[in-house]
Amino acid sequence: MSITSAARGFTARLGLALPLIQAPMAGFQSGALASAVAGAGALGSLPGAAMSPQALREAVSTLRNDRSAHGGVPVNLNFFCHAPPVADPVREAAWRAALKPYYDELGVDVSAIAGGPGRLPFGDEAADAIEALRPEVVSFHFGLPPAALLERVRRSGAQVWSTATTVAEASWLEAQGVDAIIAQGVEAGGHRGMFLLGGNAPDVTTQLGTLALLPQVVAAVRVPVIAAGGIADAAGMRAALQLGASAVQIGTAFLLCPEATTSAVHRAALQSASARHTALTNLFSGRPARGIVNRLMRELGPMSELPPAFPSAVNAIAPLRAAAEKRGSGDFSPLWAGQNVSGCRPVPAAQLVGELASGL
Ligand SMILES: Cc1cc2nc3c(=O)[nH]c(=O)nc-3n(C[C@H](O)[C@H](O)[C@H](O)COP(=O)(O)O)c2cc1C
């Protein structure tokens, strides 16, 4: 099968050679992965949730200069747009009490644990960066930002994309005027983009697999749909395009590439038999995300009412993660991975892109 007309139109509008998007992966990549992917004809993405506006400026400039010999190269800047958490000292104290046996075991000084709001949602500073950088695509996770900020993004000329994990979320996003919808199946690694449910420990039984979600979203909306979740090889890409996707977004398969900043314990876990068992957990951040099942998930979760709202839960976990990783253990690390790790190989990202797109 060759490329579909939906995919051809989508790539032509963006000036992309391939209907393939490297998923933005906050905390697991910097500009190097996006540059390598862009050089191979796919869309490179930068995770604004984990990069300062200054870091984004530098990465976009490198990516564009690297590729300048080939003319303009599109780039995707990605942001979280969660509601900032309201401080809840009672809940925070309960969370730290639940973690106390681990602090004792690893010798963590509880008084040194950072407080604060953690990762900030998309805001004015990021909008300033977008106006200066004029990326071709701005994608959001956890819904969309407030109207005034969204309008600034639209006026910059960027296409606006966001993630849907249900047909209802896809229809809501279309009604807000997004240019494309990322249909994220439950197989996907990292955070679920779910946003219409909210609340602590939201009902993850509402989440559909890619094979069920994708065709239903394609039937429900008129904008292009990007398939995400569990796609790890050329056959998976072709299947998603056949089901009506205009492009495919892949994260997990890139985690072992040398250009990713995946930690040593995470790389080891991805290459071990334990990578076959992933689950959705809210223990590491306060929101459901898929990762390789480890000790913390087995003992306190994987889903729990205990963690404070996203992203505050990170603060109390961070010193445990650091102490364990120092000992070579991923017991307290968010080992994000999707259900299909068969595409993870330690090969350059450009080679992986070529293999994923072979036969299109
Ligand atoms: C390590 C990791 C980090 C992720 N971080 C983000 C992120 O910062 N923003 C985002 O929109 N999606 C993020 N995702 C989700 C991806 O966009 C995408 O939905 C997912 O990777 C697709 O499924 P796959 O992992 O099976 O390829 C992340 C995924 C992974 C594996």
Side-chain angles (χ1 to χ4, degrees):
M1 188 203 77
S2 62
I3 195 165
T4 59
S5 61
R8 198 175 301 114
F10 182 83
T11 51
R13 275 192 298 283
L14 276 171
L16 270 180
L18 301 169
L20 173 58
I21 297 138
Q22 162 251 317
M25 295 191 285
F28 301 85
Q29 64 155 128
S30 56
L33 183 64
S35 271
V37 163
L43 182 63
S45 303
L46 293 166
M51 293 171 77
S52 66
Q54 181 54 27
L56 288 177
R57 283 188 174 90
E58 285 165 14
V60 170
S61 143
T62 306
L63 184 146
R64 284 180 172 153
N65 290 336
D66 275 1
R67 309 311 310 158
S68 55
H70 303 268
V73 58
V75 63
N76 168 30
L77 301 192
N78 172 260
F79 299 92
F80 289 174
C81 39
H82 54 284
V86 179
D88 186 342
V90 174
R91 187 123 159 233
E92 184 64 37
W95 178 224
R96 291 187 186 198
L99 297 175
K100 180 161 185 318
Y102 303 122
Y103 293 142
D104 293 344
E105 180 185 323
L106 292 171
V108 169
D109 175 6
V110 186
S111 65
I113 295 175
R119 292 197 195 294
L120 294 174
F122 184 73
D124 280 311
E125 222 193 328
D128 291 344
I130 285 170
E131 285 166 355
L133 294 170
R134 300 202 165 266
E136 286 70 15
V137 178
V138 173
S139 70
F140 293 106
H141 217 41
F142 314 136
L144 287 170
L149 281 170
L150 186 58
E151 191 45 36
R152 287 185 66 185
V153 178
R154 286 216 174 90
R155 276 204 309 265
S156 79
Q159 285 195 21
V160 174
W161 301 354
S162 185
T163 302
T165 67
T166 60
V167 175
E169 286 177 350
S171 298
W172 186 91
L173 289 172
E174 183 181 43
Q176 311 307 308
V178 299
D179 298 290
I181 290 169
I182 303 154
Q184 188 194 35
V186 76
E187 301 94 321
H191 281 96
R192 308 283 318 133
M194 55 202 299
F195 61 91
L196 284 186
L197 295 169
N200 201 43
D203 183 2
V204 292
T205 64
T206 60
Q207 302 292 284
L208 308 179
T210 304
L211 199 62
L213 178 67
L214 173 62
Q216 294 191 77
V217 171
V218 168
V221 302
R222 298 172 68 87
V223 293
V225 179
I226 297 157
I231 301 165
D233 56 22
M237 268 202 66
R238 289 196 297 272
L241 297 182
Q242 196 63 55
L243 284 173
S246 293
V248 163
Q249 178 159 308
I250 294 180
T252 298
F254 286 102
L255 283 171
L256 289 184
C257 293
E259 296 91 342
T261 58
T262 316
S263 69
V265 292
H266 196 169
R267 284 177 193 267
L270 285 163
Q271 292 175 91
S272 76
S274 57
R276 294 194 196 119
H277 186 193
T278 65
L280 294 178
T281 182
N282 61 347
L283 292 172
F284 294 101
S285 69
R287 265 184 182 265
R290 183 173 295 282
I292 297 169
V293 174
N294 61 3
R295 180 176 165 198
L296 186 73
M297 289 162 72
R298 269 193 302 274
E299 294 181 3
L300 291 191
M303 293 295 291
S304 167
E305 294 287 340
L306 280 168
F310 179 90
S312 324
V314 171
N315 295 335
I317 294 286
L320 287 173
R321 174 184 179 177
E325 286 192 6
K326 229 182 252 172
R327 300 174 189 192
S329 158
D331 281 353
F332 299 94
S333 303
L335 302 171
W336 296 157
Q339 287 180 332
N340 188 353
V341 296
S342 65
C344 294
R345 280 175 307 118
V347 297
Q351 182 183 330
L352 188 59
V353 166
E355 290 171 10
L356 287 165
S358 63
L360 283 185

